[in-house]
Amino acid sequence: MSDTTHDGAVAMTARPSADDALSPSQLAAKYGLSVSGARPGLIDYMRQLWGRRHFILAFSQAKLTAQYSKAKLGQLWQVVTPLLNALVYYLIFGLMLGTKKGIPDDVFVPFLVTGVFVFTFTQSSVMAGVRAISGNLGLVRALHFPRASLPISFALQQLQQLLFSMVVLVLIVVGFGSYPSLSWLLVVPALALQFVFNTGLALIMARMGSKTPDLAQLMPFVMRTWMYASGVMFSIPIMLKDKPSWIADVLQYNPAAVYMDLIRFAMIDGYGSSNLPEHVWALAVGWALLLGVFGFVYFWKAEERYGRG
């Protein structure tokens, strides 16, 4: 179409387009456009994560190596730190406060060290999860990848650190008279279930910590309370035998206590099944599935919001 202006020039006007009447969403649908950074479907998200499995493993190993790179003892601190904690707890709780309550040293020392190592696995996964997004904003904003890769890799890092500690734990347990047997094989499924539980918890904390960085300051107090309520330094049934039975049941059913008790039962000869809550394996599987599935879905729901102010 053309129009003649007052000076005789010819001005061309654009022909109306069929797109002019379409809304932005209709235009996007017509030309196959999608929102940048939009959350994919849950199944697609899982496929993307599987495609990044090599990155997740490499990232966790790099973080593990860098964690103590400036310390003179290097990776030995992965083992020394929980051992020092166990020594302090033994002196304070075992000797001064008498929390071993008649448990012989050949059982109490492995009992205590196992509790410290296993609870530290959960504690470290939670603390790393809180900072997984907020502490890696540069990476989140610079690259496009499934954000769940970060808390999962941090949980995997803590699992690798625990496996280093397990070598020392085996030496301690054997040194106090509990020798390898078929029951030790139960450690594998117990740790696998705890890893799933820890990963779900790390995903939950990663989403919460991405919007509330101050959560990292609060969590040490929460984790310390959880530790004292989980029987790390004492046997819950023995310590609470004079209290209403439901109190001991509640404390034994909490997931940290469940996974500790399973590994203690598997590795320590003097720690029999009478120390375990009823249906302990069902509890272990239930906690892992509940936190693993819920944590993953809860994190995925906010996928498009991570790193955006």
Side-chain angles (χ1 to χ4, degrees):
M1 297 179 64
S2 62
D3 292 317
T4 303
T5 62
H6 67 281
D7 57 358
V10 177
M12 303 298 295
T13 58
R15 186 182 301 274
S17 170
D19 291 347
D20 292 346
L22 299 179
S23 67
S25 60
Q26 291 171 327
L27 283 171
K30 179 178 178 180
Y31 292 103
L33 303 177
S34 60
V35 178
S36 176
R39 183 185 71 206
L42 186 59
I43 301 302
D44 288 340
Y45 192 67
M46 294 172 67
R47 290 197 187 101
Q48 291 178 20
L49 273 175
W50 177 249
R52 303 284 181 170
R53 62 191 182 278
H54 301 298
F55 162 75
I56 293 172
L57 180 60
F59 188 77
S60 67
Q61 291 174 337
K63 284 290 185 180
L64 184 63
T65 302
Q67 186 173 359
Y68 301 107
S69 60
K70 295 182 180 179
K72 289 185 177 180
L73 293 180
Q75 302 302 311
L76 284 177
W77 281 110
Q78 297 176 28
V79 176
V80 172
T81 300
L83 274 179
L84 290 176
N85 285 331
L87 176 61
V88 170
Y89 295 148
Y90 177 75
L91 294 175
I92 300 298
F93 293 94
L95 297 182
M96 296 178 63
L97 298 181
T99 59
K100 58 182 180 179
K101 291 286 184 180
I103 303 175
D105 279 343
D106 62 343
V107 175
F108 184 73
V109 172
F111 170 95
L112 178 61
V113 175
T114 302
V116 171
F117 279 31
V118 175
F119 186 83
T120 299
F121 178 29
T122 295
Q123 182 181 41
S124 301
S125 298
V126 170
M127 296 306 301
V130 172
R131 301 183 180 92
I133 300 298
S134 60
N136 294 277
L137 285 178
L139 184 62
V140 170
R141 291 169 176 169
L143 300 175
H144 177 69
F145 62 95
R147 307 317 189 197
S149 302
L150 293 176
I152 292 174
S153 68
F154 281 116
L156 185 59
Q157 174 194 345
Q158 302 309 319
L159 175 62
Q160 294 174 34
Q161 186 161 329
L162 175 66
L163 294 179
F164 283 115
S165 302
M166 290 296 288
V167 177
V168 177
L169 178 59
V170 167
L171 295 178
I172 292 174
V173 170
V174 171
F176 281 87
S178 295
Y179 299 102
S181 64
L182 288 177
S183 67
W184 283 36
L185 296 177
L186 295 175
V187 171
V188 176
L191 284 183
L193 291 171
Q194 188 185 8
F195 172 70
V196 175
F197 171 82
N198 289 353
T199 302
L201 203 52
L203 288 163
I204 293 171
M205 301 312 300
R207 175 174 171 177
M208 296 173 65
S210 68
K211 287 299 181 183
T212 313
D214 288 349
L215 194 61
Q217 309 305 319
L218 176 64
M219 287 312 297
F221 301 98
V222 175
M223 297 307 299
R224 194 172 303 127
T225 303
W226 193 9
M227 179 182 68
Y228 292 145
S230 300
V232 174
M233 294 83 66
F234 57 87
S235 170
I236 293 174
I238 293 177
M239 287 295 292
L240 300 179
K241 63 181 179 180
D242 298 328
K243 305 295 182 184
S245 60
W246 67 267
I247 299 177
D249 290 340
V250 169
L251 295 184
Q252 281 194 292
Y253 290 161
N254 100 70
V258 167
Y259 296 120
M260 279 190 292
D261 279 343
L262 280 175
I263 295 175
R264 285 165 171 164
F265 170 71
M267 298 186 69
I268 303 173
D269 289 344
Y271 196 77
S273 59
S274 60
N275 296 286
L276 304 178
E278 294 183 358
H279 312 296
V280 63
W281 281 105
L283 285 170
V285 173
W287 278 119
L289 290 177
L290 177 63
L291 268 293
V293 173
F294 174 78
F296 185 79
V297 174
Y298 178 74
F299 184 91
W300 162 75
K301 286 281 189 180
E303 174 73 13
E304 70 275 12
R305 298 201 295 270
Y306 299 128
R308 296 194 176 187

